[in-house]
Structures are given as C-alpha cells and as structure tokens.
Amino acid sequence: MANSVHQQSDTNSGASSSTSLLKDVGSPPHDSAITHVTGKSEFIDDRPVVKGELHCGLVYSPFARARLKLLDLAPALQIAGVECAITAADVAHNMWGGIFADQPIIAAGETHFVGEVVAVLGAQSKESLAQGLAAVVAQWEKLPDIRSIDEAVAQESFIGHLRTISRGDAQAALKSSPRTLAGVLKIEGADHFYLESQAAIVYPREDGQLEVHSSTQHPTETQHVVAKACGIPFSDVVCVAKRLGGGFGGKETQASPFAAYAALVAKRTGRAARIVLTKDEDMIITGKRNPFQIHYECGFDDSGKILALDAMLYSDGGAYADLSTAIMERALLHCDNAYFIPCARLRGQVCRTNFHPHTAFRGFGGPKGVAMIECIMEDIARVIGRDALDVRKLNCYGSGRDTTPYGQLVENNCLPELFETLEKKCDYRARRDEINQWNNDIKRNPHAHPRGLSMTAVKFGISFSTRFMNQGNALVNVHTDGTLQVSTGAVEMGQGVNSRIAALVAEQFGLPIAAVRIMPTSTEKNANTSPTAASAGTDLNGSAAVIACEKIKQRLAALACALRGIAQEHWPTKTAGLGTWPEISIANGAHAFTVLPCGLFDGANAGGAGSNTKNKTLVEFRNSMVVVSEPAQPEFKIDFAQLVREAYFNRTSVSDYGHYATAHLTFDKIKGQGRPFLYFTQGVAASEVELDPYTGEIKVLRVDMLMDVGRPVNHALDMGQVLGGFVQGMGWVTTEHLVYNDNGLLVSHSPSTYKIPSVQDTPRIFNVDFIENLGNTVNVRATKATGEPPLLLSISVWTAVRDAIASARSNVSSELIPLAIPATAERVLRGLSPEMFAQWDAPSIP
C-alpha cells in the first residue's frame, strides 16, 4: 500500500460545533531549505580549517566504573604532530552540571561510566591524532558498578530527593474502589541520533578572549562552562550557534563539555581547536532518554471511571545528575495526561547508576507519564470489557473535571472535541469492528497476521517547569533600506524557529518575510538566555522580538504622524545634511495616535477596532507601507523604508531590545502544586498496526492525527514538526533498542546496530489535520507549540501493538499483556508466544 500524507481536510468534515479544521493558506519555506538541498548550509565541521588549527581527541574510560591506576601521555606527545595533552589538572573549575554541578569535565582517579573523559589530545592532523590516542598508556582497575534501576533502589543509590505530587487520599480511595489493577511498566532509553554529532571549534582572540562555535542548544551554558573551565570571565567568551544538524535535547547540556575540551586546547596552545565526534564516539559517550520503571495501582468503578491512582516512578539518571531531576518532575506532571484523576499520589525518584548521564530528549519526561496512564486506560477497558476509546472519553478532562492533580486549571480544553472529531473522521467504530472480526478469524489460522487499533491523547504542558528559565530576549535592527536583522537566544536546529520568528517580525511591520534576516545566535548579542528546549523557542524568543518591534513601531508611528503635517522638502532626508530645518520632536506625546495591532487581531480586531479607535488617529503597518488615518482626513501613506530613512536622519532610533517573561507561572516545587505551564498543546491519534507472528515485525498500517496547535505561525513547518515528531516517537516505542555489554559499553552505537525509523517504517496511510483554535490568547499570536507534543501521540502505536497481541492470544478477555518500551520484534514474539520462550528461558538442568 502506498504511503500518503493527508495534511488537511474539508473544513466541515467531522468538525465539532466549536472548532473547524484548519487549512494551510500558504506558508513560506524554511529559511535554510534552499541551502540545505544545495549543500550550502554551514555546520560546524564545514567551517574552513584555519592556519595552525588543531584537531582534538578524547581518552575515555572503557568500564562502567573503574579506578585509573596509570595514565601515561608521554608516548602520545612523542608522536609527530601531537601538540598537547590536557588532563583534570589543567581545568580551572572542573565541575559542571545542568542543575547540580556534580560532574567533572575531565575525570581524575575514578570514572563512573564508559566514555567518561580522562584526557584530551590536540594534534595537527586527524592522522597524528589517531596515532597519539593509540599511543596513550592507561591502566584500569575495574570496580563494582550499578547498571539497573533495581540495583540502584536496593542500594539506595539516588540523585536528588523523592518528589511527590498528590491530591486527596489515594490510598483510602484505592481501598474503597470497586475494582483495582496494578502493574509495572518498563521503559527503556533511546539515542537522539542527530545527524550532526557533537562538535565545536574555538578560536583564540586577542587579550585572552575565546570565540566558540558550538553545535549547542544552550549557547549561554556553553559560554559559562567554557569560561569556568578556562578560568576566565564570562565576558571573555563569545559562543555562537549558527545552526545545528539536529538536537532533540541531546545538545541542551551535553554540548558544553565538548566545547570546553576544544577551549582548553586553544587556550593552552594559542591555536584554533576543533572537536568533532564520530557517530560511534557520540553514541558511546553521550547520555540518552532516561529509562524508567513505573510501579502503579489504579482504582476504578464498573464503568471504567478512574477513582484513584498511586504511582511510583523510578528513572535511571546515569552517573551524574544532568537534567534528570527536572525530567522526573515533568514525568510526574504528565501522569494524568488527558484524564481527570480525583485522588492521586504520584512519586518519583531518580536513580544513580553507572551509565552515561542521561539527559533531555524531545518530550523530556512527559512521554513516561503519558505511557503509564495510556497503558492503564487500555487495561481498564480489557478488565471491564469495554472499548478503550470509551474509557478514555469517560475519563477525559471536561466541565467540572478540569483541574490537574497539581492544581492547574485545564483552560482552552479541546480534548473532548478532539476525541469526538477524530473518532468520526477516522471511522473508528467501523474499523474496530472489522479488526475484531479479522482477529477472530485468524485465531483459526495461526499463519495470519493479527491487527490492533488504539486511540491515545496528549495534553502537553508548554513552559519550563523551572520559572526563571521562562524568559527570552531579542535585538531588532531596522536598516535604512527597509530590511531587518533580528538576533535572539533561539537556536535553529532544523525545527524552523528562525522562520517562525522572521514571520512574527515581518507581520509586525507589514513586510514580506524576505525583508527579515535572522542572525546566528550569539551570546554577545543575547546574553543570559534559556536553552532552545521545552518547545518554547518561538514562544519566548518570538515574544521578545515582538516586544522590540512594538517599541520601534511606536517611534516610527509618531514620526509618521509628524511628517504628515510637514512639507516633503522639509523632511529630515532633505534638510538634515545642512541643518536647514529643526529636528522633529516625537517625545512627550506630541502626536496622539493608536498603532493598529498585528498578529492575532489582524482582521478580528484591527479593521474593526471599531469603538475603541473611533475618532482617533490610527497608524497601520501594512504592505510595506505605513498608513496614517483619522476621521475626515485623507490617508497619509509613506513607504516603510522611506520612513526608516527619515527616522535615521532625524536621529530617531530604529533598533531596540525586547525582553519577555512568561506570565501566570506559580508552581511550588516543594508542595508540588500550582501552575507550571502557560498552556497545553493537545491532540489525539489513532494507530492501526499489523504484527508478523514469525518475525515480530510491526507494520503501522494507518495513523490518523488531529492536533490543536492554536493559530500556527507557519502551517507547513508545524505540519513537519507533527509528522517528524510522531515518526521519531515511533522509533522509540518500537525499534530503537539500546544494548550494553558486561562492561557497560553501548554496543548498538552505529546505524548498523541501532534501528531508527526509515521511510519503509512510516505509516502506509498517514492522515494529519489541525483544528482551528483562536482561544490561546495567553501566547503570542494565539499560537501553540508543536515541537514535542506530537511525539507523545506515537504511544498509540505501542498501545495498538498491545491490543493486537492481546487479541491474538487471549482466550480470557480480561487478560493483561505486559509489554516494555520499545516493543522490539523479540518482545512482540514473546507476547504472541510466551510459552515458546518459556522453555528457552527456563534454567537448564545439569
């Protein structure tokens, strides 16, 4: 069956009374689309090698935990072309971390995961570097290690404290519930598998300054880690991130030490230093999505309505904290997902093991909590003999049942409508009957392929759960030819944040998007920025850019009002050179006017700003013009670029800085109560799968998705995020299996052993629609983030696999089917034929 992507449908097809399906009315392309396909986009390793530049390589531990008994670098330094060797003794401040500074940049004495760096070499060529690394003499004493959550719990090897979010008395509610079920869900990690590995180049500048070009999602943190490692002030380091060849969270924190390695070599030698990991090195050294082990008990009534949930979440943080405690927090905050839970006790504990420190990954901890509750929904349905969709709809957030366990009101709630609309659009009921009949028929034919169908939801909170990180800044420079340069803290890593911000700025000034150039992210223009993460890149930085634009617009509007009453021969461009006419004053409200709003209110409120603007002087930026109008007067129009030139000759600033801080955030981390999120992005997806009973292969036959993305800035880019996020999530829940050997080394560290989705794995039929929703007025232009939420809808593929297995093998309708994530081919076969594997798994008799 041929693949298809259906991106929009008839507005009236299946739409509910208060929402309609959103059509793409035309979206400008990604700002790097042409340079990507022509091979002209510049990434870190595309930068030309400068004279004297050195290549950096790493010496790291081959064991999960070990003592370094001997490290002899002298033989390496004798290799021609090897210029220097850096160890922990050369690091001015050797501890770093995203939350807790508990990880050494370069380890000394004892190492705690395979890949922990103990030395850095700098060499003139890749060949001499390879020879130098091979010449290093290191002797190790292998030490006892911890490489499972169960071991960590038994030894109380923890990172941070136990976290709790609760509402009501969950224990009492469980005891009084008519029905209960309990289970353990094991969720393994996944590799980010970005196409551009960790990379950085550092250029020494005069007076001890360093210019760092890094493939990082967090230029500010990279700047700070480099400065501390080198023992210099933050102001002596500039970090630049032009674009990334993918990040997905893997470069939020973990890019920083690699930049520090190159910086230490550059500082020691006074020469440029480049570090670019191979895919193998990257996968071995860097952390993954945190593995989780979730123990839960749920109480419910005979209809399937949840009465209580008690869940204990353990995560594998790896050897150091990184962001694991924040990831656990988001997992707890998403255990409810789309469903009202009247009594809940949600607890979480991060475990310290001897794996690479795990880190941020698209969705952060959200997918873990969502997987748990969606698993519970399926199991409740099986226990009571109802369709799982009916159980989900019964428990869905709605009127009077719209407050989360942590106390946030679910505002702008589209979930009931999303369920109802997609149920009709994808013909769920008829397909469910067909699949049930198909599976009943194949029970008489063991060679047939069982099928499963499942519809899951997502309610993903948008904001960093740590309040101070919810801020952004932007610098907007308007040039006298009417074009603009915009600098923000957002990092372009393929998701299109540059194009979105450019569209917001262009809209503010009524200009074509081609007039706006987004500059490379640089800490000298935008300092103290948050990482581009949490799906908040456009929200934070785009809002800051709009604020800067509004400041500039106010000055330009005032000048336009003044020019209206002045003869053109007296305008600044005609008189300022010789000083024949006084400058125009625009201060102190000399001209009363109202600038018509752009964005959300264009068309809704602008032309009909009606009674609010009646009898007022109005200024509008549209179609590259600035238009001044007032009652009983002809319109005054001036070309935008001409107005900017008049402003320059009038010594009126056409540059400004905007700072944005997300409002309404009140979450108390100690109490586990409050409002951690500005809003929720919502969606539903129905997935149909077919299983091969001989190989365990999963074929995703069809996926139907319906997302609430507010009012998109760029429909096409949002569609790309939704499609890509879902497929990436499919890899996590099906094929992407991390395999480690007895020393703790990741052995699936290349494309030949680690299976990410390919075009052959994408759904045979892939229908995606957006609903129109203008209700998210708390965010810029009524948009909603699309970076992470769609990934969580891929859980519908996993629950569909569980449905297929249960339908294929169960003679008892209420039998529950345990299935870990990822549902690999082996696990599918074990689910379909557990008795076959039982004989192989049984201990052999001597």
Side-chain angles (χ1 to χ4, degrees):
M1 187 179 296
N3 286 14
S4 66
V5 177
H6 176 223
Q7 296 187 0
Q8 65 269 336
S9 299
D10 186 337
T11 300
N12 296 318
S13 175
S16 66
S17 59
S18 60
T19 59
S20 61
L21 297 175
L22 183 66
K23 292 189 176 182
D24 186 2
V25 293
S27 302
H30 191 291
D31 70 316
S32 298
I34 294 176
T35 56
H36 280 357
V37 299
T38 57
K40 296 179 181 178
S41 294
E42 181 183 85
F43 297 91
I44 295 297
D45 207 27
D46 293 322
R47 296 182 65 84
V49 175
V50 300
K51 183 178 180 180
E53 184 176 303
L54 300 178
H55 298 270
C56 301
L58 307 175
V59 180
Y60 55 80
S61 172
F63 300 109
R65 181 166 173 251
R67 181 174 294 110
L68 182 58
K69 298 175 65 177
L70 173 68
L71 179 63
D72 187 359
L73 300 170
L77 292 171
Q78 293 174 4
I79 301 293
V82 176
E83 297 293 324
C84 72
I86 304 293
T87 66
D90 302 303
V91 185
H93 185 85
N94 199 26
M95 301 301 287
W96 76 283
I99 299 175
F100 312 118
D102 66 339
Q103 182 173 352
I105 292 173
I106 300 178
E110 190 171 309
T111 58
H112 297 275
F113 66 94
V114 173
E116 185 158 17
V117 174
V118 296
V120 183
L121 297 186
Q124 295 176 10
S125 67
K126 293 180 180 180
E127 293 73 20
S128 57
L129 178 62
Q131 294 173 22
L133 291 170
V136 171
V137 177
Q139 295 180 2
W140 304 88
E141 177 188 354
K142 189 176 178 181
L143 300 175
D145 57 50
I146 297 174
R147 286 188 286 115
S148 74
I149 288 175
D150 287 335
E151 288 179 89
V153 172
Q155 298 184 39
E156 298 185 350
S157 177
F158 298 138
I159 297 173
H161 300 292
L162 177 72
R163 295 290 301 275
T164 302
I165 292 173
S166 63
R167 172 167 60 191
D169 189 339
Q171 299 304 104
L174 281 169
K175 289 180 181 179
S176 64
S177 294
R179 295 174 180 246
T180 62
L181 61 81
V184 179
L185 174 59
K186 294 186 178 181
I187 305 174
E188 295 184 2
D191 188 77
H192 304 83
F193 215 90
Y194 30 68
L195 294 182
E196 179 192 29
S197 294
Q198 298 280 2
I201 303 176
V202 179
Y203 302 99
R205 300 305 187 196
E206 65 181 21
D207 200 22
Q209 298 175 68
L210 297 175
E211 182 181 309
V212 180
H213 291 256
S214 173
S215 184
T216 176
Q217 293 176 233
H218 197 350
T220 291
E221 181 174 67
T222 298
Q223 172 198 23
H224 293 176
V225 171
V226 166
K228 288 181 179 180
C230 294
I232 59 179
F234 294 170
S235 57
D236 281 352
V237 178
V238 173
C239 181
V240 180
K242 181 176 178 62
R243 64 166 58 87
L244 278 57
F248 310 116
K251 297 174 181 177
E252 181 174 344
T253 57
Q254 300 207 354
S256 298
F258 298 104
Y261 299 144
L264 289 163
V265 170
K267 184 173 181 289
R268 165 76 68 82
T269 62
R271 297 160 67 171
R274 177 184 306 240
I275 185 167
V276 180
L277 300 190
T278 65
K279 177 55 68 178
D280 301 87
E281 291 172 329
D282 192 295
M283 293 185 71
I284 289 170
I285 296 172
T286 61
K288 316 301 176 193
R289 185 185 291 279
N290 294 72
F292 269 61
Q293 185 168 298
I294 303 175
H295 303 253
Y296 59 86
E297 184 176 6
C298 181
F300 53 99
D301 64 18
D302 291 337
S303 69
K305 182 177 288 187
I306 291 179
L307 304 174
L309 174 63
D310 187 15
M312 180 69 209
L313 286 67
Y314 293 105
S315 74
D316 182 342
Y320 301 105
D322 201 272
L323 297 175
S324 290
T325 54
I327 291 164
M328 174 59 76
E329 179 176 77
R330 185 168 282 264
L332 295 172
L333 291 169
H334 284 78
C335 284
D336 61 320
N337 193 28
Y339 313 108
F340 179 75
I341 304 172
C343 293
R345 182 176 69 162
L346 312 171
R347 295 175 295 160
Q349 178 64 66
V350 180
C351 299
R352 190 185 300 275
T353 65
N354 292 110
F355 290 111
H356 25 214
H358 296 304
T359 191
F361 201 141
R362 196 174 191 173
F364 222 54
K368 318 306 171 54
V370 171
M372 176 198 69
I373 194 65
E374 295 294 351
C375 175
I376 289 172
M377 291 293 164
E378 296 279 328
D379 288 348
I380 289 175
R382 196 151 192 87
V383 167
I384 65 175
R386 294 189 68 183
D387 190 278
L389 176 57
D390 293 324
V391 174
R392 289 184 168 96
K393 291 168 65 176
L394 177 67
N395 287 283
C396 185
Y397 278 111
S399 178
R401 292 162 52 86
D402 53 5
T403 305
T404 67
Y406 45 89
Q408 178 165 351
L409 184 68
V410 183
E411 300 168 309
N412 193 223
N413 179 20
C414 301
L415 289 164
E417 296 169 85
L418 288 166
F419 271 123
E420 290 289 346
T421 303
L422 188 64
E423 177 185 344
K424 295 184 179 78
K425 282 181 60 61
C426 77
D427 204 13
Y428 179 89
R429 299 295 174 178
R431 290 169 59 204
R432 167 54 73 192
D433 291 341
E434 291 172 2
I435 288 172
N436 287 344
Q437 184 61 49
W438 173 277
N439 288 335
N440 286 333
D441 291 344
I442 67 171
K443 287 179 180 178
R444 296 186 292 272
N445 178 7
H447 304 294
H449 294 191
R451 292 180 179 176
L453 175 66
S454 181
M455 184 185 294
T456 65
V458 65
K459 173 186 66 64
F460 194 83
I462 304 299
S463 293
F464 291 96
S465 57
T466 300
R467 185 169 56 194
F468 71 82
M469 297 180 72
N470 293 286
Q471 59 178 307
N473 59 67
L475 173 65
V476 176
N477 293 323
V478 184
H479 295 282
T480 54
D481 64 349
T483 62
L484 295 84
Q485 290 178 326
V486 180
S487 301
T488 76
V491 176
E492 175 59 57
M493 46 190 166
Q495 82 280 38
V497 69
N498 283 357
S499 296
R500 289 181 173 87
I501 294 174
L504 289 171
V505 171
E507 184 177 62
Q508 286 297 310
F509 289 108
L511 299 172
I513 196 170
V516 181
R517 172 70 67 183
I518 306 297
M519 306 306 293
T521 308
S522 174
T523 56
E524 68 176 335
K525 294 177 183 174
N526 301 97
N528 306 316
T529 58
S530 295
T532 301
S535 300
T538 299
D539 290 6
L540 297 178
N541 298 280
S543 296
V546 167
I547 289 171
C549 292
E550 289 172 343
K551 293 180 181 180
I552 298 169
K553 285 170 64 178
Q554 286 293 320
R555 295 193 292 270
L556 289 177
L559 181 60
C561 289
L563 291 175
R564 179 185 48 167
I566 300 174
Q568 287 196 27
E569 60 267 23
H570 294 152
W571 284 7
T573 53
K574 304 293 195 301
T575 62
L578 297 175
T580 58
W581 195 262
E583 288 183 327
I584 300 170
S585 174
I586 62 171
N588 302 320
H591 302 277
F593 59 88
T594 297
V595 178
L596 288 176
C598 298
L600 172 61
F601 302 104
D602 60 355
N605 220 18
S611 59
N612 294 328
T613 60
K614 191 174 182 180
N615 300 321
K616 291 183 179 179
T617 300
L618 305 179
V619 181
E620 185 176 7
F621 291 73
R622 69 169 189 258
N623 300 327
S624 300
M625 303 289 292
V626 180
V627 181
V628 182
S629 59
E630 63 179 349
Q633 295 291 331
E635 282 189 338
F636 170 77
K637 296 182 179 181
I638 181 171
D639 181 78
F640 176 79
Q642 180 62 41
L643 180 59
V644 173
R645 287 191 290 272
E646 300 299 337
Y648 169 71
F649 279 94
N650 196 57
R651 295 196 297 180
T652 299
S653 174
V654 287
S655 296
D656 222 314
Y657 172 89
H659 180 267
Y660 171 77
T662 307
H664 314 302
L665 303 181
T666 60
F667 186 59
D668 185 324
K669 291 175 176 284
I670 303 300
K671 295 178 180 178
Q673 292 292 307
R675 179 175 181 161
F677 306 121
L678 181 63
Y679 64 88
F680 297 101
T681 294
Q682 302 156 92
V684 291
S687 293
E688 181 179 346
V689 303
E690 182 178 274
L691 310 182
D692 188 319
Y694 294 103
T695 67
E697 181 186 6
I698 300 168
K699 287 187 178 180
V700 183
L701 301 180
R702 175 175 171 178
V703 170
D704 296 84
M705 299 176 67
L706 187 60
M707 293 286 297
D708 161 33
V709 297
R711 183 175 185 248
V713 175
N714 186 307
H715 187 286
L717 290 179
D718 281 0
M719 184 62 67
Q721 286 288 284
V722 170
L723 295 169
F726 187 90
V727 171
Q728 185 176 44
M730 278 177 48
W732 166 56
V733 299
T734 58
T735 63
E736 296 187 33
H737 191 202
L738 299 168
V739 180
Y740 297 84
N741 69 11
D742 290 340
N743 287 330
L745 169 70
L746 179 69
V747 294
S748 54
H749 56 71
S750 70
S752 63
T753 52
Y754 187 78
K755 177 66 175 71
I756 64 171
S758 70
V759 68
Q760 298 298 327
D761 299 303
T762 56
R764 274 58 177 173
I765 301 174
F766 204 175
N767 298 321
V768 181
D769 275 311
F770 298 156
I771 64 169
E772 184 175 22
N773 175 15
L774 303 183
N776 188 38
T777 54
V778 296
N779 196 40
V780 61
R781 202 179 175 276
T783 65
K784 286 193 174 184
T786 57
E788 294 171 290
L791 182 141
L792 284 74
L793 288 176
S794 67
I795 290 169
S796 62
V797 173
W798 174 69
T799 51
V801 172
R802 294 180 81 239
D803 178 62
I805 292 174
S807 299
R809 61 163 290 222
S810 178
N811 294 319
V812 180
S813 62
S814 62
E815 182 183 15
L816 303 182
I817 308 299
L819 182 66
I821 293 176
T824 60
E826 179 181 333
R827 286 173 176 156
V828 168
L829 289 176
R830 285 178 176 272
L832 290 171
S833 305
E835 59 285 340
M836 181 185 302
F837 284 86
Q839 61 179 332
W840 296 332
D841 292 339
S844 58
I845 300 175

